[in-house]
Amino acid sequence: MGELFFGVDIAGAINENVSPGLPTVGTLTKRIVGTRTPGQLTDGTQPTAQVATGKVVVSDYRAGQIDGTLIKQGDRKVLFIAESLSPALVPEAGDRVTVEGASYFIVNVGRDPAVATYACQVRG
């Protein structure tokens, strides 16, 4: 069950009623920076990854939205249904999204007030 927004579990309702009808599944990969072993400054930080899958809607930006700076040619929009992400992860800039056979880095993330969806601007 999601957080109540005006007394309604909007995120839960979206997940329950919209997710089953979405054919596309996306993978969110978060890179977790590790820590150095004390006294071993030459060793790397041993990063790990957390991976979640969830239902998504993928779309392209309209030509008039592409300004070459904030939105570049080839950027796409990936809308995750928040409660469909399993395990529950929150996308952040720098995370990786794999969808429709392509892999992208997240440039920017927005969410609606009910935290029902995460709108990710992604770039190849």
Side-chain angles (χ1 to χ4, degrees), residues 7-42:
V8 178
D9 180 11
I10 295 172
I14 295 289
N15 187 47
E16 184 177 322
N17 296 295
V18 175
S19 288
L22 297 177
T24 307
V25 174
T27 302
L28 172 67
T29 304
K30 295 183 78 57
R31 186 166 185 245
I32 310 299
V33 179
T35 57
R36 294 188 190 278
T37 304
Q40 301 294 321
L41 296 179
T42 58

Side-chain angles (χ1 to χ4, degrees), residues 59-80:
S59 59
D60 295 311
Y61 286 93
R62 293 185 314 274
Q65 294 175 300
I66 299 169
D67 65 4
T69 304
L70 296 176
I71 301 173
K72 296 184 178 186
Q73 187 71 37
D75 284 3
R76 300 191 81 194
K77 295 182 268 186
V78 176
L79 182 77
F80 276 98

